[in-house]
Amino acid sequence: SGLLNNQNNESGLISYNLVNLYIIIFFSIFLISILFSKSIVSPIKILSKIVRSDRDKSKKNVNKLVYPQRYDEIGILSNDIKSMSSDLRIRIDEIENFTADVSHELKNPLASLKSSSELLVSKKIDEQKKIILLNNMRNDIERMNKLITDISSYSKTQVEIDDEIFYTFDLNIFLKDLVKSYSSNSKRIIIIHEHDNIPLMIHANKDKLVQVFINIIDNSLSYAPIESNILIKQRKINKKVIIKLCDEGMGIPYKLKDKIFERFYTDRGIDQDKHSGLGLSIAKKIIESFSGSIRLIDNDSKKHLGACFEIILPLKD
């Protein structure tokens, strides 16, 4: 009887301990679930508030929230949203600046047209001055037409850069074909292509790269003297290819090395109204979309002493 009672007591104690253990496990799981839930829900709520804050301009500077810094999937999501928001802000700022630049460029010919039309309506000028004013008005209209065309091209290029398809191709063959297309021109200018006979594989969009070289070569053709040369020279350095394009024209002052890539900048002594100043800006955007760079450099050529541009592109592994 005593032995049986001891067994019953031990069995009851075990049952009691098991119940306590289950209760402890249950509350532990419950607490862990709450903590785990908060660790997920809380940062997601913060990200949601940040997105709403960016969308609602009135709350832009109110209770500025900090992106969650984590090393898990939520951290990756946080970084992606932060990067996307930053890119969107850059794009919005660029559109605002571009709109301001366009407005400024179009106001000049419009103001000139307004002034000329008012003088013509006044009928207080002689026939000779009327002819001058009409010629000025025609030039202003041509200038506006060129601006609108190039502005449309600039905007289209930006959209195409975002959606462009890249291909891997040999730069040597690409430039060889491009030079052939310029074999005949009105000024009988010869384009010399110097390169090593080794494949230089790059990953880019051919159509956009053609646009870059056309912009630069056409500029050189407009400035270079009759029967002169344009030099295209390239060399491989590590995992990059460096391309130089130099002409025998009047050159560009090196102090303008940054200015010439700004939108609508032009300082031409000839054909001023036929150029909007967007060509080099477009070229820079395209090259940068290929993870490359373009710049004006000091000319170290003994013969081609005009403008000299350097384009650097990464080679495909």
Side-chain angles (χ1 to χ4, degrees):
S1 176
L3 180 61
L4 185 61
N5 287 333
N6 288 335
Q7 288 179 345
N8 289 334
N9 289 335
E10 288 179 1
S11 176
L13 182 61
I14 292 172
S15 298
Y16 177 78
N17 289 336
L18 284 174
V19 170
N20 287 339
L21 180 61
Y22 289 148
I23 292 173
I24 292 171
I25 292 173
F26 173 79
F27 278 105
S28 297
I29 293 174
F30 179 72
L31 290 174
I32 291 173
S33 299
I34 292 175
L35 293 174
F36 184 71
S37 175
K38 284 188 175 181
S39 70
I40 294 176
V41 174
S42 180
I44 290 178
K45 284 183 177 180
I46 292 173
L47 288 174
S48 178
K49 287 180 181 179
I50 290 173
V51 172
R52 289 199 302 270
S53 177
D54 284 342
R55 188 173 55 189
D56 188 352
K57 301 294 183 182
S58 64
K59 298 180 180 179
K60 185 176 179 181
N61 296 318
V62 179
N63 298 325
K64 190 171 182 180
L65 299 170
V66 178
Y67 284 90
Q69 299 294 321
R70 297 165 61 120
Y71 298 97
D72 54 7
E73 286 77 4
I74 292 178
I76 294 172
L77 175 63
S78 174
N79 290 332
D80 288 344
I81 293 176
K82 184 178 181 180
S83 177
M84 183 177 65
S85 177
S86 177
D87 290 343
L88 183 61
R89 173 49 53 192
I90 291 172
R91 184 62 58 84
I92 291 172
D93 290 341
E94 185 176 348
I95 291 172
E96 289 177 350
N97 293 332
F98 180 62
T99 303
D101 291 342
V102 169
S103 176
H104 177 266
E105 289 298 319
L106 289 176
K107 280 182 179 179
N108 292 332
L110 280 173
S112 178
L113 282 170
K114 183 175 182 294
S115 176
S116 297
S117 62
E118 289 174 350
L119 286 172
L120 287 172
V121 170
S122 69
K123 299 180 181 180
K124 295 180 180 180
I125 55 176
D126 57 34
E127 291 299 320
Q128 187 176 0
K129 289 183 178 179
K130 281 184 180 180
I131 294 173
I132 294 174
L133 284 175
L134 288 172
N135 285 332
N136 289 340
M137 291 176 73
R138 183 184 62 189
N139 292 336
D140 288 332
I141 291 170
E142 289 178 355
R143 167 71 174 165
M144 288 184 65
N145 184 53
K146 177 64 178 173
L147 278 170
I148 291 169
T149 300
D150 285 356
I151 288 166
S152 176
S153 175
Y154 182 91
S155 302
K156 184 180 178 182
T157 297
Q158 182 61 60
V159 174
E160 289 174 345
I161 285 173
D162 293 337
D163 298 331
E164 66 190 4
I165 300 174
F166 284 40
Y167 301 96
T168 300
F169 55 92
D170 190 343
L171 182 66
N172 282 332
I173 297 174
F174 170 85
L175 289 176
K176 182 180 179 181
D177 293 339
L178 181 69
V179 169
K180 280 183 180 178
S181 68
Y182 282 94
S183 58
S184 61
N185 54 80
S186 60
K187 298 175 81 173
R188 300 184 298 280
I189 293 173
I190 298 174
I191 300 178
I192 302 170
H193 181 207
E194 293 183 2
H195 61 92
D196 297 326
N197 290 318
I198 57 172
L200 294 172
M201 307 306 293
I202 63 172
H203 195 61
N205 182 284
K206 275 189 176 182
D207 293 335
K208 287 290 168 286
L209 192 58
V210 166
Q211 187 177 353
V212 171
F213 282 98
I214 287 176
N215 283 346
I216 298 175
I217 292 174
D218 285 352
N219 278 339
S220 294
L221 288 173
S222 67
Y223 279 110
I226 296 174
E227 298 182 348
S228 61
N229 294 332
I230 295 174
L231 174 66
I232 300 179
K233 185 177 181 180
Q234 66 202 54
R235 71 182 190 277
K236 177 184 176 183
I237 295 182
N238 297 326
K239 295 184 178 181
K240 296 180 180 179
V241 58
I242 299 177
I243 311 155
K244 288 185 180 180
L245 296 94
C246 307
D247 58 49
E248 298 180 32
M250 64 182 71
I252 302 173
Y254 187 66
K255 64 182 180 181
L256 299 177
K257 63 183 179 68
D258 297 321
K259 194 79 174 173
I260 59 175
F261 291 102
E262 293 180 3
R263 286 191 297 258
F264 300 111
Y265 177 79
T266 179
D267 190 23
R268 286 175 167 267
I270 55 173
D271 298 333
Q272 178 83 16
D273 294 333
K274 296 180 181 179
H275 297 269
S276 64
L278 283 172
L280 288 177
S281 180
I282 290 173
K284 189 172 188 291
K285 278 188 171 294
I286 292 172
I287 292 297
E288 288 177 348
S289 75
F290 301 154
S291 299
S293 64
I294 179 172
R295 62 184 182 129
L296 178 75
I297 61 173
D298 278 329
N299 200 334
D300 57 359
S301 173
K302 294 181 179 179
K303 181 180 179 182
H304 303 86
L305 300 175
C308 194
F309 288 90
E310 180 185 79
I311 297 174
I312 300 177
L313 291 171
L315 290 171
K316 178 71 174 176
D317 294 334

